[in-house]
Amino acid sequence: MASVVLSDAEKLYIIHGVQEDLRVDGRGCEDYRCAEVETDVVSNTSGSARVKLGHTDILVGVKAEMGTPKLEKPDEGYLEFFVDCSANATPEFEGRGGEELGTEIASTLYRIFSSEGSVDLKSLCINPGEHCWVLYVDVLLLECGGNLFDAISITVKAALFNTRIPKVRVLEDEEGSKEIELSDDPYDCIRLNVEDVPCIVTLNKIGYRHVVDATLQEEACSLASLLIAITSKGALTCMKKIGKGSLDPESIFEMMETGKKVGKSLHASLQKVLDEEESLGTTRQKVGFLG
Amino acid sequence: MRRGRATPSPRRPGGRAASRRAPRGTLGGGRAGAMLTSRTFLKRTRAGAVVKVVREHYLRDDIPCGADACPLCPVRPGQPLGLEARPSGAASSLCPGPHYLLPDTNLLLHQIDILEDPVIKNVIVLQTVLQEVRSRSAPVYKRIRDVIGNPEKHFYSFTNEHHRETYIQQEQGESSNDRNDRAIRVAVKWYSEHLKKIQNEENEDIQVIFLTNDRNNKEKALEEGITAYTCEEYIKSLIDNPDLVDRLACVSDEGKEIESGKIIFPEHIPLSKLQQGIKSGIYLQGTYRASRENYLEATVWVHGDAEENKEIIIQGLKHLNRAVHEDIVAVELLAKDEWVAPSSVVLQDDGQNEDDIEMEEEKENILKASVNKNMLRPTGKVVGIIKRNWRPFCGMLSKSQIKEARRHLFIPADRSIPRIRIETRQADKLEGQRIIVAIDGWPRNSRYPNGHFVKNLGSAGDKETETEVLLLEHDVPHQPFSQNVLSFLPKMPWSITEKDMKYREDLRHLYVCSVDPPGCTDIDDALHCREIENGNLEVGVHIADVSHFIRPGNALDEESARRGTTVYLCEKRIDMVPELLSSNLCSLRSNVDRLAFSCIWEMNQKAEILKTRFTKSIINSKASLTYAEAQMRIDSAAMNDDITVSLRGLNKLAKILKKKRIDNGALTLSSPEVRFHMDSETHDPIDLQTKELRETNSMVEEFMLLANVSVAQKIYDEFPEFALLRKHPAPPPSNYDILVKAAKSKNLEIKTDSAKALAESLDKAESPDFPYLNTLLRILTTRCMMQAVYFCSGMDSDFHHYGLASPIYTHFTSPIRRYADIIVHRLLAVAIGADSTYPELTDKHKLADLCKNLNYRHKMAQYAQRASVAFHTQLFFKTKGVVNEDAYILFVRRNAVVVLIPKYGLEGTVFFEEKDKPTPKLDYNSEVPSLTVEDTTLCVFDKVTVSVTLDASNIQHQKIRMELVEPKILASGVPAHLSTETSSNNEPEKKKKKLQQ
């Protein structure tokens, strides 16, 4: 993972600041940085979103393709995640450098989406046992400025919100041979319900306290962090410890509580922004990558 | 621009505020006036996946409205604008002021005949409309493009999809059709507002009239304040041109079918259901071929490789279900007990009105009667039409008996096309004229399809009219070359420049000459022969370098590729390339420098090729000779100039080459060719004679064959996958049955196991007391052959040319009149590094498609030529009255014999069976084959005398009628020349002799 090297004095400065609930950029321990969200940025995807969280810059595209359902779940579609670490983010990612991190993030995403009900997979089924929609969620790291997991989960949620899957009808004739027909109205499409899609909140243990949305510098000061997936209703669906340090049970509970609280308000404000953007409809001027 | 904020706790202000920057539009694109948007649509791929396609789409504000001298629109230099400033279209009572017309898609598709009329001018064709037309009908699209390209017509195509003010996006719940309709209305509105602004400055009132036949669309347009009329309303309002109404296509609004009269036909099943049915095998898809003899019968050739049910018989009006010849239809098979046999009855449709459905049923019963059990064939009924293949049809009007009636029946010249009902007010004028009619539709309650009058070709029997008819009926493109095509011709005066000399050898010093038939202006080959130092001979074949002038991919090239071949009619030549090239720049005339593609061999005195080379060259022909002139030079001992010496050398070599070829098994075939001697004033044929062949003919031919073979080998070596070659498949042995049987009846044996055996046995088949027999046998052999075809070497494995006994062959020597040769020239030029290649040249699928077209055009050209000869033969006999001529029997049929008159090379059928007359007793023996009429036995090759007359009883189908005069057949006793039909009669004379044989 991208990281910075800090001197002991710098680290001490940060740690002492956190102790006082005052972070280098002026935030409190439970404050997120300002995030920029834009959806529908890549026109040839079914849904896409780009999120900038501080210096962290993530682009997610969702492509819906027709596939065959998995044998064990014949009446459900499924999601596939792929994370690409662009060498633009940090030179370490050059060549196959980003592969390990990419796989780690992808497996985390598989884990948090594996819980029942995060996405209604049944609605992705076209024709049980034969055809279903497969959503390929492609994550591209454009810039790493700390707190990658949170930023990615926000972007994925925004992109899924933006996803429009074309409506298809299955025509069946007397012989039972099936024909899939595509609706010719491009507005005729399925939207996903993203209410229960969780977001990740990473809590970094710094000194005796913990912070959310750590910058790269803060991450360098943290020995252990806890990654929790929270739904908009505050349910915790997944938890994972990262880093080589240890956490005592008491602070884990404390961190979970903070995570839930922050997660809920994160969901709320994300949903608000998405709805606002949606209400502008086609009149919205897109910013894209040149803005 | 919109950015969201997602901050969970707004307690403290975040690090950075989102910065607003200029919107993208001004950043992208080089033009200040261009704005980017994107068009997104979903489509299904063939593999079944759904893909989202996004296309960039730029909107601009500098697209001119097209009105000449419009002060508001930016002027585009060098581009003449379409619409006149003061529109001078036909005066309309509905809209007396000056106006532009703006048709919608359906109107353009159906009423293109009207729009092509010179009266209709100043029409705005929207891009939306053009695109829709393009996807729905390629022929109409081509026609409208041609009209737009014609500066006389003042048509303007307005790029409304890229205009900032007229571009619209599809809205929610709107189908793409509705969107296009709306886009058209938006454009009309924009025009009327735009034109108002001009009016203010010029005090002139130009209106835009929206023409649509769609009622909903018209209502919506009127609501929006647009002047809209249906096509009918507008055309009827034209004061000076009432005759245009005839050319309106009568398309009834779908859905509003108020049924008048009873329904005759079952409904057609919609396409989507048909496709499902074809997939599952309930229906069969095939090409519908109406029977020429029997209007109640047709066959459907099922597509695909299935062995059984390849050919399905359709019988009866209801089962034919409104299919027209050449349509692609879906057929459902009937149960086996309903199967029928192809009837041998000739039925002509001569009903005049609709009420005779009962009569039809009676007729259908006639068909079903007298059926032999084992003749039953798969029978089916047409359930739906997959693709109509309607084209404009030539024919004549059959005027309604009711006076002042406006609905008349039209009888197409092609008997496989049903009669067509048209509406016209000029029936009196059109009677006896050859006219063109297009089919518009065939409602369920109508006995005949509905159509409209398109064009009057002229009076029937007239030479120009008939030529036009036969060109149209054989699909020969014969319009004058368009401006666009002509623009690719070299500018005159033309001369050879330094640049042309690159990669070219200067062969102007050689004594090259050309040998052609008299009056030939498109000389595409020239020859030379000279002795070189080592005692060997250098022989050169120089072919006009047409590919130098026709560059790949331009309009000239495309047009030539479409035409495929020059068509030679009796008194007219339909050029493949414009005359400037065919008769001037490419024609290797004497004493001018011309570009050529040369094939030069070094041969020894035994005509063995020692070296072959190809080069682009410049030649200067020293003489253009006719065959007769060349022959004279060779024969007269007094002449010893360079050209004559060269010709003698060529002639000597040609004889050796020919002998070698024949020893190899090449066939010498014969087909009677006729030449007309034309009256120089009236261009009427005054005499007929068969072509005479001289030694020099075969001399030129021999070297052309040699060049073709050499080039074929070279391009195949260089491009094993993309060489354009010509093959002549060996005929299946059964084809020879008739020849073997015929020879046997004369006690001759014809071996057919190989081309060589065939050639040898033909040479031996001589009869001392019957010198013409050998020619007859060769004519028969020709009839057994397969058609030679072009093909792409990468798509086929059998290259053999049966007739020439050559393992490989192509066409290289006539690029002026055959497009195949142009491609071969290009391939050869690339092979020797004299020219560059292009992608289509090395695409074997494109080449295969091209071959398909060339083969089709060649076949049609041949048919057109035969039809032209037939027509001129008719003209010839028209003036002659009744002529008695010697003839030989070529074929014996069940109820007729086919005879050949050697004097005219004319072939005709003598029938012994006809309507309204007692049929003589006929006895057909398929073994010999022979036909015994009453007591006279007729065998193949019998010499007979026939009387030849012109039968003009059917003005549309005039034909040569032949009747047997000698031997006379005893039957009804009507004198031969008085009988209007072909039966023959009276006394057996030679009969006894024949029976003895």
Side-chain angles (χ1 to χ4, degrees):
Chain A
M1 191 184 296
S3 56
V4 286
V5 180
L6 295 182
S7 68
D8 282 349
E10 283 172 305
K11 279 186 182 171
L12 205 64
Y13 179 72
I14 291 170
I15 294 167
H16 284 171
V18 169
Q19 221 80 290
E20 301 294 325
D21 195 17
L22 186 63
R23 292 158 74 174
V24 175
D25 50 17
R27 285 184 291 163
C29 286
E30 294 175 14
D31 290 347
Y32 258 83
R33 285 171 287 183
C34 179
E36 295 174 10
V37 179
E38 191 185 12
T39 59
D40 204 14
V41 282
V42 187
S43 53
N44 56 0
T45 57
S46 310
S48 60
R50 186 189 186 199
V51 168
K52 278 183 169 184
L53 185 65
H55 281 289
T56 306
D57 193 347
I58 311 287
L59 175 69
V60 168
V62 179
K63 276 214 157 197
E65 274 177 32
M66 246 188 262
T68 33
K70 291 183 171 165
L71 278 178
E72 65 274 19
K73 285 172 182 165
D75 54 349
E76 286 183 9
Y78 57 95
L79 277 72
E80 291 278 3
F81 294 94
F82 180 78
V83 183
D84 186 18
C85 303
S86 158
N88 278 356
T90 151
E92 290 164 39
F93 290 160
E94 219 169 308
R96 312 185 67 175
E99 226 166 61
E100 204 182 324
L101 176 66
T103 326
E104 193 196 335
I105 298 172
S107 66
T108 312
L109 287 170
Y110 275 118
R111 261 184 76 187
I112 67 168
F113 278 90
S114 70
S115 75
E116 297 267 317
S118 58
V119 179
D120 180 16
L121 295 174
K122 290 222 161 63
S123 67
L124 297 179
C125 180
I126 299 167
N127 180 354
E130 282 177 45
H131 295 288
C132 70
W133 287 110
V134 183
L135 300 183
Y136 291 93
V137 181
D138 295 317
V139 180
L140 178 61
L141 304 189
L142 294 170
E143 214 179 331
C144 289
N147 203 16
L148 270 183
F149 285 93
D150 295 20
I152 289 169
S153 73
I154 295 170
T155 327
V156 169
K157 181 168 178 170
L160 286 175
F161 175 79
N162 178 239
T163 300
R164 283 162 172 81
I165 303 166
K167 241 182 213 164
V168 291
R169 280 190 303 153
V170 182
L171 303 173
E172 200 169 337
D173 62 12
E174 302 94 63
E175 264 83 63
S177 64
K178 282 162 187 159
E179 182 80 16
I180 289 174
E181 197 190 65
L182 182 66
S183 158
D184 46 316
D185 182 1
Y187 291 95
D188 197 12
C189 53
I190 313 171
R191 298 286 299 270
L192 289 172
N193 182 2
V194 293
E195 212 187 332
D196 292 329
V197 173
C199 276
I200 298 173
V201 177
T202 312
L203 297 122
N204 293 68
K205 186 85 179 163
I206 296 181
Y208 299 108
R209 297 189 67 143
H210 47 258
V211 297
V212 298
D213 189 22
T215 61
L216 274 183
Q217 286 80 4
E218 287 166 339
E219 275 172 359
C221 301
S222 164
L223 286 177
S225 45
L226 193 68
L227 182 153
I228 55 177
I230 306 283
T231 68
S232 59
K233 296 189 184 84
L236 192 153
T237 60
C238 172
M239 185 160 76
K240 187 181 175 185
K241 200 214 81 171
I242 317 173
K244 48 185 182 275
S246 56
L247 295 169
D248 65 283
E250 214 161 293
S251 63
I252 291 179
F253 283 121
E254 221 171 89
M255 285 158 98
M256 276 162 59
E257 282 313 308
T258 320
K260 275 188 202 172
K261 193 174 73 196
V262 176
K264 267 168 94 172
S265 66
L266 178 67
H267 272 294
S269 42
L270 177 65
Q271 196 59 48
K272 202 177 117 225
V273 170
L274 291 175
D275 287 341
E276 227 171 86
E277 196 183 38
E278 174 94 351
S279 67
L280 291 172
T282 49
T283 58
R284 175 172 74 99
Q285 283 242 336
K286 285 180 188 168
V287 182
F289 296 90
L290 293 170
Chain B
M1 183 166 108
R2 169 71 213 169
R3 285 182 183 194
R5 288 177 143 233
T7 35
S9 64
R11 260 196 303 162
R12 289 183 199 177
R16 294 183 310 142
S19 64
R20 279 172 179 271
R21 286 186 208 161
R24 190 177 187 171
T26 49
L27 290 174
R31 306 187 51 87
M35 186 178 101
L36 173 77
T37 151
S38 61
R39 285 186 303 125
T40 307
F41 52 92
L42 293 163
K43 79 172 188 201
R44 286 206 63 193
T45 62
R46 214 173 293 165
V50 173
V51 270
K52 187 174 173 185
V53 185
V54 181
R55 297 243 188 283
E56 285 188 344
H57 192 87
Y58 288 87
L59 300 183
R60 355 192 357 156
D61 47 17
D62 59 347
I63 297 171
C65 68
D68 201 18
C70 165
L72 303 170
C73 291
V75 187
R76 294 258 189 111
Q79 196 189 356
L81 291 173
L83 307 167
E84 288 172 294
R86 287 157 196 278
S88 65
S92 158
S93 58
L94 269 179
C95 177
H99 55 266
Y100 298 141
L101 297 175
L102 200 153
D104 77 350
T105 312
N106 279 324
L107 195 120
L108 204 125
L109 277 172
H110 295 134
Q111 311 290 5
I112 179 78
D113 288 332
I114 289 269
L115 293 175
E116 276 177 337
D117 193 278
V119 168
I120 305 291
K121 283 180 183 176
N122 294 301
V123 175
I124 301 161
V125 185
L126 296 181
Q127 186 193 9
T128 317
V129 173
L130 268 182
Q131 278 167 351
E132 279 192 289
V133 167
R134 185 181 184 167
S135 64
R136 285 174 52 187
S137 165
V140 174
Y141 179 73
K142 196 188 169 294
R143 285 167 74 185
I144 189 70
R145 293 270 11 153
D146 287 347
V147 173
I148 292 172
N150 181 355
E152 302 280 296
K153 292 278 287 166
H154 298 287
F155 272 47
Y156 176 68
S157 114
F158 179 60
T159 325
N160 66 317
E161 296 283 1
H162 288 279
H163 195 286
R164 191 185 286 225
E165 283 165 60
T166 52
Y167 173 72
I168 57 159
Q169 255 170 342
Q170 190 170 357
E171 277 171 6
Q172 197 149 3
E174 192 178 44
S175 78
S176 57
N177 268 339
D178 290 343
R179 184 239 162 235
N180 287 343
D181 284 347
R182 189 160 60 91
I184 294 168
R185 291 197 304 271
V186 167
V188 179
K189 230 176 156 152
W190 179 83
Y191 256 106
S192 44
E193 272 156 30
H194 181 80
L195 292 174
K196 252 181 217 140
K197 287 182 212 157
I198 310 175
Q199 289 155 26
N200 295 342
E201 284 157 47
E202 295 206 0
N203 282 329
E204 205 180 0
D205 199 38
I206 304 180
Q207 256 191 310
V208 175
I209 295 179
F210 178 42
L211 292 181
T212 177
N213 281 348
D214 179 12
R215 229 181 318 149
N216 289 336
N217 204 1
K218 192 185 158 196
E219 272 164 25
K220 274 189 193 157
L222 292 174
E223 267 170 40
E224 287 168 28
I226 297 168
T227 326
Y229 297 118
T230 65
C231 193
E232 221 175 323
E233 285 170 342
Y234 179 76
I235 297 298
K236 282 187 177 154
S237 78
L238 295 180
I239 299 157
D240 301 328
N241 304 82
D243 49 313
L244 264 189
V245 178
D246 288 354
R247 301 176 58 174
L248 274 173
C250 31
V251 194
S252 61
D253 244 341
E254 289 295 325
K256 70 151 192 187
E257 274 181 49
I258 310 155
E259 298 299 347
S260 61
K262 65 177 176 183
I263 290 168
I264 304 172
F265 297 104
E267 201 162 357
H268 284 154
I269 295 170
L271 194 60
S272 57
K273 276 215 174 134
L274 286 180
Q275 276 162 345
Q276 274 174 36
I278 288 163
K279 236 183 203 172
S280 60
I282 317 171
Y283 306 137
L284 296 165
Q285 176 177 340
T287 311
Y288 179 92
R289 293 190 184 280
S291 156
R292 285 165 159 274
E293 277 85 31
N294 185 338
Y295 74 102
L296 288 175
E297 192 174 284
T299 44
V300 170
W301 290 83
V302 176
H303 300 169
D305 308 317
E307 278 297 304
E308 51 172 357
N309 299 348
K310 196 80 192 119
E311 196 185 329
I312 296 172
I313 295 182
I314 319 277
Q315 219 171 57
L317 215 51
K318 281 194 180 109
H319 286 173
L320 298 177
N321 200 359
R322 293 170 281 159
V324 178
H325 191 60
E326 295 279 315
D327 284 350
I328 311 284
V329 297
V331 183
E332 187 179 350
L333 276 181
L334 296 176
K336 275 218 167 119
D337 53 336
E338 290 179 69
W339 284 13
V340 298
S343 68
S344 47
V345 189
V346 176
L347 273 184
Q348 298 247 0
D349 186 6
D350 32 57
Q352 260 289 350
N353 45 36
E354 328 254 286
D355 310 327
D356 47 7
I357 306 298
E358 287 77 23
M359 264 173 61
E360 304 290 356
E361 276 160 19
E362 261 169 52
K363 279 189 193 158
E364 280 170 31
N365 288 335
I366 298 175
L367 293 184
K368 278 168 196 149
S370 72
V371 162
N372 187 341
K373 269 278 177 245
N374 50 26
M375 289 287 282
L376 293 182
R377 294 281 164 77
T379 307
K381 59 175 180 187
V382 174
V383 289
I385 309 286
I386 291 160
K387 189 172 175 285
R388 288 288 191 190
N389 246 334
W390 291 343
R391 58 189 171 93
F393 300 105
C394 290
M396 292 177 75
L397 196 70
S398 143
K399 224 174 110 187
S400 168
Q401 287 130 350
I402 308 158
K403 252 194 175 177
E404 305 279 304
R406 281 175 39 202
R407 302 177 114 205
H408 304 275
L409 277 180
F410 162 83
I411 307 166
D414 186 346
R415 287 212 185 89
S416 32
I417 306 294
R419 287 153 183 240
I420 302 165
R421 187 185 307 100
I422 61 169
E423 223 171 284
T424 178
R425 279 186 268 192
Q426 25 177 359
D428 293 322
K429 217 174 92 192
L430 295 181
E431 208 181 6
Q433 306 275 306
R434 290 272 192 181
I435 60 173
I436 297 181
V437 159
I439 303 186
D440 299 321
W442 197 338
R444 285 176 63 199
N445 54 359
S446 160
R447 169 72 178 78
Y448 298 109
N450 291 330
H452 66 272
F453 164 72
V454 178
K455 199 171 160 190
N456 186 352
L457 296 174
S459 54
D462 193 53
K463 204 150 10 108
E464 274 87 63
T465 315
E466 294 302 324
T467 307
E468 179 83 13
V469 169
L470 75 90
L471 289 174
L472 282 169
E473 282 299 302
H474 293 96
D475 195 14
V476 175
H478 60 284
Q479 302 80 4
F481 289 95
S482 70
Q483 277 306 320
N484 190 16
V485 169
L486 295 176
S487 69
F488 288 98
L489 289 177
K491 302 280 169 291
M492 291 304 278
W494 173 86
S495 63
I496 297 167
T497 62
E498 271 306 302
K499 224 174 95 198
D500 298 335
M501 295 292 288
K502 215 176 164 190
Y503 308 117
R504 263 178 213 283
E505 231 173 283
D506 192 345
L507 300 179
R508 279 176 284 195
H509 57 281
L510 294 176
Y511 282 90
V512 174
C513 66
S514 61
V515 184
D516 285 285
C520 176
T521 58
D522 50 348
I523 305 170
D524 40 23
D525 49 74
L527 299 154
H528 88 271
C529 171
R530 62 169 182 175
E531 203 159 315
I532 45 179
E533 292 87 13
N534 57 12
N536 288 331
L537 292 166
E538 183 196 78
V539 179
V541 165
H542 311 276
I543 306 297
D545 191 5
V546 180
S547 64
H548 175 83
F549 296 99
I550 300 184
R551 303 310 299 169
N554 67 24
L556 176 58
D557 181 47
E558 277 166 16
E559 180 63 24
S560 318
R562 192 171 77 90
R563 295 189 176 212
T565 175
T566 295
V567 182
Y568 295 87
L569 303 182
C570 289
E571 82 299 352
K572 200 175 175 183
R573 188 176 81 199
I574 316 294
D575 276 324
M576 180 183 81
V577 296
E579 201 180 351
L580 177 69
L581 290 182
S582 68
S583 299
N584 186 354
L585 298 185
C586 287
S587 182
L588 303 176
R589 297 188 297 187
S590 51
N591 301 320
V592 281
D593 289 354
R594 285 288 175 254
L595 300 179
F597 209 141
S598 302
C599 173
I600 299 168
W601 301 278
E602 187 181 330
M603 289 186 184
N604 59 18
Q605 300 288 348
K606 286 182 221 147
E608 283 158 352
I609 298 170
L610 305 172
K611 250 188 241 166
T612 309
R613 80 192 168 92
F614 306 97
T615 179
K616 290 221 172 188
S617 60
I618 297 180
I619 60 159
N620 188 320
S621 170
K622 300 291 179 286
S624 309
L625 308 172
T626 63
Y627 289 121
E629 283 168 358
Q631 189 68 52
M632 202 194 70
R633 275 176 184 251
I634 293 172
D635 294 343
S636 70
M639 295 183 84
N640 273 313
D641 57 305
D642 286 318
I643 293 170
T644 312
V645 170
S646 169
L647 283 172
R648 282 194 192 124
L650 288 167
N651 199 27
K652 195 185 117 203
L653 290 173
K655 280 182 188 162
I656 308 174
L657 286 170
K658 184 166 186 182
K659 187 172 175 303
K660 274 193 208 165
R661 206 162 53 82
I662 287 170
D663 289 347
N664 253 332
L667 296 173
T668 326
L669 300 175
S670 174
S671 58
E673 276 193 85
V674 267
R675 250 193 118 75
F676 289 94
H677 283 266
M678 299 286 187
D679 187 309
S680 54
E681 296 275 305
T682 59
H683 296 287
D684 282 334
I686 42 179
D687 198 10
L688 257 168
Q689 70 172 109
T690 45
K691 274 184 193 165
E692 199 183 333
L693 289 180
R694 288 192 181 81
E695 224 174 31
T696 39
N697 289 54
S698 103
M699 172 188 93
V700 173
E701 187 190 339
E702 217 49 59
F703 283 104
M704 295 306 130
L705 291 178
L706 191 63
N708 286 338
V709 172
S710 296
V711 170
Q713 194 58 51
K714 173 77 180 173
I715 59 171
Y716 178 63
D717 288 347
E718 204 75 24
F719 305 102
E721 288 287 298
F722 324 113
L724 191 154
L725 303 176
R726 189 168 172 83
K727 68 170 175 182
H728 182 210
S734 60
N735 275 24
Y736 288 124
D737 284 356
I738 194 157
L739 174 69
V740 174
K741 272 187 199 163
K744 219 174 178 180
S745 71
K746 291 274 173 254
N747 293 322
L748 293 168
E749 194 192 4
I750 300 287
K751 291 198 187 102
T752 58
D753 20 320
S754 73
K756 192 168 160 59
L758 178 64
E760 278 169 3
S761 51
L762 276 176
D763 286 342
K764 280 186 213 141
E766 297 274 0
S767 168
D769 51 324
F770 190 2
Y772 199 65
L773 178 66
N774 191 268
T775 314
L776 283 173
L777 281 171
R778 288 185 198 276
I779 291 171
L780 269 189
T781 313
T782 315
R783 304 294 162 87
C784 303
M785 293 295 151
M786 307 281 282
Q787 186 77 38
V789 288
Y790 296 111
F791 69 103
C792 170
S793 61
M795 308 289 275
D796 211 326
S797 54
D798 173 29
F799 296 179
H800 194 74
H801 198 292
Y802 181 80
L804 296 172
S806 168
I808 191 163
Y809 192 67
T810 192
H811 271 164
F812 167 75
T813 51
S814 299
I816 299 180
R817 58 185 177 90
R818 289 188 305 231
Y819 189 76
D821 302 52
I822 296 184
I823 294 290
V824 170
H825 274 228
R826 287 179 185 158
L827 286 166
L828 185 64
V830 174
I832 62 167
D835 206 344
S836 51
T837 181
Y838 58 100
E840 284 78 20
L841 194 64
T842 51
D843 181 336
K844 60 180 177 183
H845 296 284
K846 289 244 170 69
L847 272 184
D849 287 347
L850 182 73
C851 289
K852 218 170 125 195
N853 181 46
L854 293 180
N855 290 329
Y856 169 73
R857 294 290 179 198
H858 276 270
K859 195 174 73 191
M860 285 333 241
Q862 248 176 34
Y863 291 166
Q865 267 152 28
R866 277 184 216 159
S868 172
V869 170
F871 173 66
H872 280 83
T873 316
Q874 285 165 18
L875 281 186
F876 174 69
F877 283 107
K878 199 175 183 177
T879 52
K880 288 264 176 168
V882 184
V883 189
N884 284 354
E885 291 292 347
D886 284 350
Y888 294 99
I889 296 180
L890 266 189
F891 300 103
V892 177
R893 302 258 187 259
R894 201 165 283 277
N895 61 350
V897 289
V898 180
V899 298
L900 175 82
I901 304 174
K903 186 175 168 194
Y904 304 125
L906 177 67
E907 205 179 306
T909 310
V910 178
F911 291 97
F912 299 110
E913 212 174 25
E914 59 183 297
K915 302 187 255 188
D916 317 326
K917 291 234 181 86
T919 309
K921 201 174 113 243
L922 295 174
D923 187 13
Y924 177 68
N925 181 348
S926 66
E927 277 310 301
V928 183
S930 70
L931 181 71
T932 311
V933 187
E934 296 294 332
D935 294 319
T936 314
T937 303
L938 299 165
C939 289
V940 174
F941 301 143
D942 282 358
K943 190 172 182 181
V944 293
T945 306
V946 291
S947 75
V948 185
T949 43
L950 180 73
D951 170 24
S953 60
N954 180 347
I955 187 147
Q956 180 138 241
H957 298 284
Q958 297 195 355
K959 57 186 171 206
I960 299 289
R961 183 143 291 180
M962 289 190 190
E963 289 144 33
L964 212 55
V965 176
E966 194 103 348
K968 287 177 182 168
I969 290 166
L970 186 72
S972 52
V974 183
H977 60 276
L978 283 183
S979 102
T980 49
E981 294 264 347
T982 50
S983 75
S984 310
N985 12 30
N986 294 345
E987 270 175 80
E989 255 185 28
K990 284 186 176 174
K991 173 195 77 180
K992 276 171 196 155
K993 203 168 121 198
K994 242 150 243 160
L995 286 175
Q996 283 157 10
Q997 275 182 356

